[in-house]
Every structure is written in structure tokens, then in C-alpha cells.
Amino acid sequence: MNYVVDTNVASELMRPSAFLCAELHERALSQGKVPTIEDLMIAAICKRNDCILATRNVKDFDYLAIDVVNPFER
């Protein structure tokens, strides 16, 4: 199982992730959400690499169609 840890540092956003970032943005807007570009980049990188995002900020990602886990909850 792969994990990506949200360290609030944006990784380099490659072209395939950038297109996915735009798709996730549209998805969020259609649900009435306004995510930050940093959260969209993190979500796109996770989705593109089929990773689970480990973060305390689950609410910022739970509507973006990625797997999210809070490692501080049981």
C-alpha cells in the first residue's frame, strides 16, 4: 500500500497531474466547494499515483474522490 503524507509542501506538479488537478477543481466546484490550489495539487498527485493521502485535514479532501486516512484517529 502506498501513502503520501500531507506536509503542506506542494510537490512539483507534472503535466498529467495538472490536468487531473483541473478535473478535481471542476468536481469540487460542482459540489459547491472551493478548495485551495495546494489541496488540489496534493489530491491530483495522490490520485495519479494511486496513493492514499495521510492527513489530519480529512475534511479538505473527502469530496475529491481520493482515498484519505487520518493517521491520528483509530
Side-chain angles (χ1 to χ4, degrees), residues 1-5 46 49-54 67 69:
M1 184 177 297
N2 296 321
Y3 289 91
V4 172
V5 178
C46 289
N49 292 291
D50 195 32
C51 295
I52 298 170
L53 176 63
D67 293 323
V69 62

Side-chain angles (χ1 to χ4, degrees), residues 14-67:
M14 298 163 62
R15 181 172 287 189
S17 294
F19 287 114
L20 187 52
C21 186
E23 290 175 12
L24 292 173
H25 188 239
E26 287 297 317
R27 175 189 199 83
L29 292 177
S30 72
Q31 297 177 38
K33 306 285 186 175
V34 183
T36 66
I37 188 64
E38 294 85 3
D39 288 348
L40 288 168
M41 289 188 288
I42 291 166
I45 291 167
C46 289
K47 189 166 183 78
R48 181 173 161 262
N49 292 291
D50 195 32
C51 295
I52 298 170
L53 176 63
T55 179
R56 287 184 179 188
N57 301 319
V58 173
K59 67 177 178 53
D60 292 339
F61 296 94
D62 61 358
Y63 58 91
L64 292 174
I66 63 168
D67 293 323

